[in-house]
Amino acid sequence: QVHLVESGGGLVQAGGSLRLSCAASGRGFSVYDMGWFRQAPGKEREFVAAIRWSGSTTSYADSVKGRFTISRDNAQSTVYLQMNSLKPEDTAVYYCAADKEYGTTIPRDRADYDYWGQGTQVTVSS
């Protein structure tokens, strides 16, 4: 079992930056693939970024590619999402998630993930 807690959300102007953190407690973090998702009001939760357990491979949604960077520190059991050049359409609740099942491809689907945090609000003003 892994417990995930996100932090770092807030209100920022368009063009600004935020760094989200997701701290994990419990066993297994270092062998879990990790992902970030977001959900805007009235919309489905959508994939943002993912990183393999080793940190060797990352994947991004087209809408954030080149602006967001996912990284992890297995020694600290933490995954990060650096968000630059933020846009109003990035406004959402951001969730981190953990995939406990080993797979050969990086997980991008909500159904791939087993554990979820409670979310952190990101609001980008125009």
Side-chain angles (χ1 to χ4, degrees):
Q1 186 77 21
V2 171
H3 183 58
L4 304 173
V5 178
E6 302 95 335
S7 61
L11 173 65
V12 64
Q13 288 189 331
S17 298
L18 283 175
R19 189 194 197 201
L20 305 184
S21 298
C22 173
S25 60
R27 295 185 175 184
F29 176 84
S30 63
V31 298
Y32 293 167
D33 295 340
M34 297 295 295
W36 286 96
F37 289 75
R38 66 186 182 186
Q39 188 167 16
K43 294 189 176 182
E44 295 282 317
R45 192 171 298 188
E46 65 176 3
F47 171 76
V48 175
I51 187 167
R52 292 286 274 173
W53 63 272
S54 62
S56 61
T57 306
T58 58
S59 180
Y60 297 92
D62 288 344
S63 58
V64 307
K65 202 171 293 184
R67 300 187 299 122
F68 291 10
T69 303
I70 188 171
S71 61
R72 66 189 296 160
D73 183 340
N74 284 346
Q76 298 295 322
S77 297
T78 303
V79 62
Y80 304 97
L81 186 68
Q82 177 67 43
M83 306 186 296
N84 299 329
S85 302
L86 282 161
K87 305 175 181 179
E89 50 264 43
D90 294 319
T91 295
V93 178
Y94 283 71
Y95 299 89
C96 74
D99 175 9
K100 68 177 182 178
E101 301 293 336
Y102 177 79
T104 56
T105 58
I106 196 165
R108 293 170 56 98
D109 195 285
R110 288 168 52 186
D112 293 327
Y113 289 86
D114 305 286
Y115 305 114
W116 293 83
Q118 84 290 344
T120 186
Q121 176 71 46
V122 171
T123 303
V124 184
S125 64
S126 57

